[in-house]
Amino acid sequence: MQVPQDGEDFASQPWYHGPLSRQKAEALLRQDGDFLVRASESHGGHPVISCRWQGLALHFEVLCVALRPRPGRPAALFQLEDERFPSLHALVHSYVSGQRPLTQATGAVASRPVTRQESIRCSFSEDTLLDSPARVKLLRDRKWSDSQPAGLELVGQSREGHSGPGASAVPTFALRRMGSDPVLLKTSDPLGSIADSLWASDGQLHTKMPTKPPRTPPLVLPDASGRPPTYCELVLRVPSARGTPSGHSCPEPETPWWETQEEAEDERCFARPQAQVSFCPADNPSSLLGPQNRPLEPKVLHILRGLFLEHHPASTACHLLLADCQATGLLGVTKAQRDAMGVASGLELLTLPHGHCLRSELLERHEALVLAGALAVLGCSGPLEERAAALRGLVELALELRPGAAGDLPGLAAVMGALLMPQVSRLERTWRQLRRSHTEAALAFEQELKPLMRALDEGAGPCDPGEVALPHVAPAVRLLEGEEILGPLDESCEQLLRTLQRARQVARDAPKFREAAARRLRGFRPNPELSEALTTGFMRRLLWGSRGEGAPRAARLEKFQLVLSVLSHRLEPDH
């Protein structure tokens, strides 16, 4: 396989199939080693490598990191795990020609490209990330000053005398937006009229610096005239300099519930709480589990394994942050729920006497996440490297959840709880293999994550809303539910006071945490299946089945601990 030159359109590569669903891609992969590159329909057109290995169809999302323009270096870097490449062509060539596993966890090797049978009209080139020659040539005659508000309000209109040849040469592939780059939207037809909509002059420059365009996701906007959609540079909340003719304005996209600004409530007297409030969503029909399911169904576990392998740890961390914010009552709280609980946030409710239901749900969620994380390691019955790779995946997820990253401390506590479980920590051969094969992850776990988790459990870890989106509330929840603090009397009293003081501080800073969480999730578009898999109700049904989830909590936990102990001793028996 030859490495194409940078900027070469993917349409010339036989292994690139353009926009293609997961189901259609799996149908094309027939033998182990077959692979193709597609534009994922569920990830905004992001490149995904689909490969069949050991009879399973696996999908690997390629992480793209845009760089600041600088002479002598590429516009973006592409990676699957650690190694980065200057182009997606180079990435594919390196893994295929060297017969290297796409990920250490799966060991999947891409060896035979599945040739595209039909021509594609929508393709992707690295030029579309930054500094596309075709795009620069197309827009140079109209000056790039159209990023000013005076020019942006005319987006989507046509202007006579500004059409030119080559307008349809712009690559038509949806990309994740980086920084203040224009938003490129996917279209199915050539853009014969987009050149007409981009025009400006230096005289339109304002004396005041324009507002920086917000980070908005790629959108396909409907056209009222019934014509196919076109590219549109959509910049919201920018003051218009002139009126826009009716019938040509771009409608604002529907805002996700976690980005919706809560209405400011009028000052009012204290209202007595109405009833216990639950933030666990109702039992909706599951797309992964049937109406009746058995515990740990192999088919569902296989689907979940593929989902987590397909997503980068940073993406999984955002999914977990969103689920934790909803379960804690930090985001998505309705007015009816606020009226019922008498406060505005679940972080306040869990410190009050009538927050017993919420505290029980948070403990249940934490325990389910810990058990699921431990099962991800103990359920690996393959070679030793497979278990070591599973440990590495959990460590990388914990690093993405820590303060300063996603800042989801309940999620971090659950992942660390899984890694520190006795059934997992006793696997000496597996941990030795982790230190040998993935030294950086092993060092980060020992030197950074374990001390951080110890400090958080003692009520002394970081809790600044600037670096934390969702604080660690498990110690306060356990304390308020009657659990005792173990240890010497003087140390336990100090820890008790620190925990209560931290809970009071968290309740006071609840609005700041809400803003921090919403800021981290702005522009995030989750995968529906992965979002469902991280809900408390789904994990309960997965671990204990549709019938067993109704058993008493203590009995369920005791039985599952025994199951994990059996799996642990089967992997590494005692000598």
Side-chain angles (χ1 to χ4, degrees):
M1 178 186 295
Q2 296 181 350
V3 182
Q5 299 296 323
D6 289 344
E8 181 177 341
D9 197 330
F10 282 8
S12 62
Q13 298 304 311
W15 40 258
Y16 179 68
H17 289 244
L20 192 68
S21 66
R22 179 200 297 246
Q23 292 75 14
K24 293 181 179 179
E26 292 179 354
L28 296 175
L29 304 173
R30 303 180 183 277
Q31 302 178 10
D32 284 358
D34 288 356
F35 80 95
L36 58 86
V37 180
R38 62 187 175 89
S40 173
E41 295 181 345
S42 60
H43 289 72
H46 214 55
V48 170
I49 299 178
S50 299
C51 177
R52 183 168 294 277
W53 185 250
Q54 295 181 350
L56 304 177
L58 304 176
H59 307 272
F60 306 92
E61 181 179 1
V62 179
L63 180 65
C64 172
V65 180
L67 303 177
R68 291 182 180 275
R70 187 172 297 175
R73 76 175 186 183
L77 297 177
F78 298 82
Q79 69 180 91
L80 284 175
E81 289 193 321
D82 293 334
E83 187 176 0
R84 296 182 176 182
F85 299 87
S87 67
L88 187 53
H89 306 97
L91 183 148
V92 173
H93 174 78
S94 175
Y95 280 96
V96 175
S97 61
Q99 292 294 285
R100 301 164 51 201
L102 297 176
T103 62
Q104 294 296 328
T106 62
V109 176
S111 56
R112 287 185 304 276
V114 176
T115 304
R116 184 181 66 250
Q117 300 298 330
E118 300 177 357
S119 61
I120 55 176
R121 302 176 63 184
C122 296
S123 57
F124 172 71
S125 167
E126 279 88 358
D127 289 337
T128 58
L129 288 172
L130 298 169
D131 302 331
S132 168
R135 194 178 73 185
V136 171
K137 182 180 184 301
L138 174 66
L139 302 179
R140 184 169 292 154
D141 296 336
R142 295 159 184 83
K143 298 186 176 62
W144 194 243
S145 60
D146 202 57
S147 62
Q148 304 297 330
L152 290 171
E153 65 170 2
L154 298 173
V155 166
Q157 306 178 39
S158 61
R159 184 180 182 219
E160 296 181 1
H162 287 273
S163 61
S168 61
V170 181
T172 57
F173 188 87
L175 293 177
R176 297 189 185 278
R177 184 169 174 268
M178 304 293 180
S180 299
D181 295 342
V183 177
L184 298 181
L185 305 184
K186 184 171 58 177
T187 180
S188 57
D189 283 357
L191 303 181
S193 61
I194 186 60
D196 302 337
S197 66
L198 298 176
W199 65 278
S201 65
D202 293 335
Q204 291 175 344
L205 297 177
H206 291 201
T207 57
K208 183 179 178 181
M209 182 177 295
T211 305
K212 183 178 179 180
R215 295 177 178 269
T216 55
L219 299 169
V220 177
L221 303 178
D223 191 346
S225 63
R227 295 173 297 178
T230 60
Y231 283 104
C232 175
E233 294 179 13
L234 179 62
V235 180
L236 306 179
R237 296 183 294 278
V238 176
S240 59
R242 294 181 293 181
T244 302
S246 60
H248 292 278
S249 61
C250 292
E252 293 197 7
E254 183 179 354
T255 304
W257 59 264
W258 59 88
E259 294 183 6
T260 304
Q261 297 289 336
E262 295 189 4
E263 299 179 359
E265 297 188 18
D266 299 333
E267 295 184 1
R268 60 182 183 180
C269 299
F270 172 76
R272 184 177 298 277
Q274 302 291 326
Q276 296 277 348
V277 175
S278 171
F279 295 107
C280 283
D283 294 333
N284 298 322
S286 173
S287 61
L288 299 174
L289 295 173
Q292 301 292 328
N293 71 288
R294 298 171 61 86
L296 305 178
E297 289 188 353
K299 181 180 179 181
V300 179
L301 292 177
H302 164 66
I303 295 175
L304 293 178
R305 185 169 181 266
L307 279 175
F308 283 102
L309 289 176
E310 180 179 344
H311 286 77
H312 190 271
S315 174
T316 305
C318 288
H319 283 83
L320 187 55
L321 173 61
L322 180 60
D324 285 336
C325 286
Q326 186 178 15
T328 312
L330 185 64
L331 296 176
V333 182
T334 64
K335 185 178 184 302
Q337 289 174 325
R338 291 196 297 269
D339 293 341
M341 63 186 179
V343 289
S345 170
L347 294 180
E348 302 170 80
L349 176 63
L350 62 85
T351 63
L352 301 177
H354 58 284
H356 168 72
C357 180
L358 174 60
R359 292 192 292 268
S360 299
E361 290 177 354
L362 293 180
L363 288 177
E364 177 88 18
R365 175 171 179 79
H366 174 79
E367 292 161 351
L369 280 171
V370 170
L371 296 177
L375 183 65
V377 178
L378 300 175
C380 295
S381 57
L384 182 63
E385 178 58 33
E386 182 182 358
R387 295 199 300 275
L391 285 179
R392 177 201 178 190
L394 289 178
V395 172
E396 290 179 342
L397 178 58
L399 292 173
E400 294 292 345
L401 293 167
R402 63 183 168 175
D408 179 10
L409 300 192
L412 172 64
V415 175
M416 290 298 296
L419 291 170
L420 296 173
M421 282 191 69
Q423 293 91 332
V424 176
S425 59
R426 66 171 295 275
L427 302 177
E428 296 181 1
R429 293 175 50 231
T430 306
W431 286 99
R432 192 181 305 118
Q433 182 67 26
L434 175 73
R435 290 189 288 269
R436 183 183 299 114
S437 302
H438 313 289
T439 307
E440 292 185 3
L443 289 176
F445 175 72
E446 294 290 343
Q447 299 179 3
E448 181 178 356
L449 294 176
K450 288 177 70 173
L452 171 62
M453 200 65 242
R454 190 180 304 112
L456 289 173
D457 286 336
E458 295 175 355
C463 194
D464 179 20
E467 58 179 348
V468 173
L470 190 59
H472 185 44
V473 297
V477 168
R478 293 192 185 98
L479 186 64
L480 294 173
E481 286 299 297
E483 295 188 18
E484 296 183 359
I485 299 178
L486 303 178
L489 182 60
D490 54 346
E491 295 181 4
S492 60
C493 288
E494 292 180 2
Q495 184 175 344
L496 171 65
L497 293 176
R498 285 197 304 267
T499 302
L500 293 177
Q501 177 62 28
R502 177 61 59 87
R504 188 179 299 111
Q505 177 185 350
V506 165
R508 183 177 63 249
D509 292 340
K512 297 180 181 179
F513 286 115
R514 185 187 304 115
E515 294 176 2
R519 184 168 58 252
R520 280 172 168 81
L521 293 171
R522 187 171 298 127
F524 172 63
R525 296 299 177 265
N527 178 287
E529 291 183 341
L530 184 55
S531 297
E532 178 190 346
L534 293 174
T535 60
T536 307
F538 178 89
M539 287 186 291
R540 287 182 51 169
R541 288 189 57 190
L542 175 69
L543 297 176
W544 292 288
S546 55
R547 297 178 57 185
E549 67 167 340
R553 172 185 156 200
R556 286 188 283 111
L557 293 177
E558 181 180 1
K559 289 183 178 180
F560 210 87
Q561 290 284 354
L562 294 176
V563 172
L564 295 181
S565 298
V566 171
L567 292 175
S568 178
H569 285 83
R570 184 177 298 174
L571 293 174
E572 296 188 18
D574 293 330
H575 297 291

